[in-house]
Amino acid sequence: MKKELLLYGCTLVFACGIQSCSSSATNPEPPVAAETESADSSRILVFSKTSGYYHESIPDGISAIQKLGNEHNIQVDTTKNAAYFNPDSLSNYDAVVFLSTTQDVLNDQQQEAFTKYIQGGGGYAGIHAAADTEYDWPWYNRLVGAYFLSHPKQQNATVRVSNKNHPSTSHLPDEWEIFDELYNYKDINPDINVLATLDETTYEGGENDDNHPIVWYHEFDGGRAFYTGLGHTKESYTNPVFLQHIWGGINYAMGKE
């Protein structure tokens, strides 16, 4: 079924997956359709608005996900414009990826639209600082699975993969050696399905003891949610192991796995 994408203050250039905001919110311009778009093509939205810390790896993450989309025939749209969080726009997407978003990124109406999107069977994938987002919205806390608490300096650590029956972890070794910014978490949703944990004995600054989840998924409020705490560094988005990891999570969120 062909869907229309309603636009709020943005001009779309789908051919390269970038939206640029140039007009006022009261004068939306019509979208430009992607040249490769087909009626049965799946589509995801990568959302990277920040109201707090800005991760310099965000453009690298956007480019990497766009490339993965091209390789797998998935339309990838990207925006920092929260006005896309309305029922008509969200209905175009199989999943929404929160790529290192921070702090308060959605207003009350946008939160309501996103809630209904998930309740209608939509998908969510959170990467890294997606857990450092919307601290005053308890529903989002349950969706993402936990809130950011703190992090030590970037360093090497061991990720222990406990569940390989998931597309995000099926290719990973039992012990995955990584260099990243390693989050500690609070308000962890007890209903998440943990896929991998951090071994706090292999690095300094862990605060979640033996139960330190770093990758998880769950069905939530009618939809699907995946989260990985990894992905702080620019180098992450040129690492084929990590890219397969996040693409597997996005595929789960889209309902393809």
Side-chain angles (χ1 to χ4, degrees), residues 206-218:
E207 297 182 12
N208 290 116
D209 299 321
D210 293 333
N211 180 27
H212 193 146
I214 194 66
V215 182
W216 59 78
Y217 77 99
H218 62 141

Side-chain angles (χ1 to χ4, degrees), residues 98 100-101 124-133 140 143-148 166 168-169 181-185 192-196 213-218 224-231 245-246 249-250 252-253:
F98 278 50
S100 284
T101 52
Y124 165 89
I127 298 176
H128 195 54
D132 186 25
T133 301
Y140 181 82
L143 173 73
V144 66
Y147 278 142
F148 165 79
H166 193 272
S168 68
T169 55
E181 183 179 77
L182 309 168
Y183 279 4
N184 298 307
Y185 296 99
I192 59 173
N193 301 303
V194 176
L195 295 167
I214 194 66
V215 182
W216 59 78
Y217 77 99
H218 62 141
R224 300 164 305 282
F226 164 82
Y227 173 82
T228 178
L230 306 174
H245 168 61
I246 61 170
I250 291 170
Y252 167 77

Side-chain angles (χ1 to χ4, degrees), residues 20-97:
S20 60
C21 299
S22 58
S23 61
S24 69
T26 58
N27 295 292
E29 297 182 12
V32 178
E35 294 178 1
T36 58
E37 182 179 357
S38 62
D40 59 351
S41 177
S42 296
R43 171 173 280 175
I44 62 174
L45 178 65
V46 178
F47 181 55
S48 58
K49 179 179 177 180
T50 58
S51 296
Y53 183 83
Y54 175 80
H55 284 75
E56 293 183 355
S57 61
I58 287 175
D60 302 89
I62 289 173
S63 296
I65 296 171
Q66 287 174 329
K67 183 178 179 181
L68 288 165
N70 287 335
E71 292 172 354
H72 295 89
N73 194 33
I74 303 296
Q75 296 289 321
V76 178
D77 302 340
T78 76
T79 191
K80 299 176 183 178
N81 184 1
Y84 274 85
F85 284 74
N86 67 78
D88 292 314
S89 293
L90 290 174
S91 68
N92 289 275
Y93 298 109
D94 298 279
V96 179
V97 180

Side-chain angles (χ1 to χ4, degrees), residues 57 60 154 179 231-240 242-243:
S57 61
D60 302 89
Q154 297 174 43
F179 178 89
H232 173 87
T233 68
K234 288 174 171 284
E235 291 76 15
S236 298
Y237 298 98
T238 59
N239 181 337
F242 177 75
L243 293 178

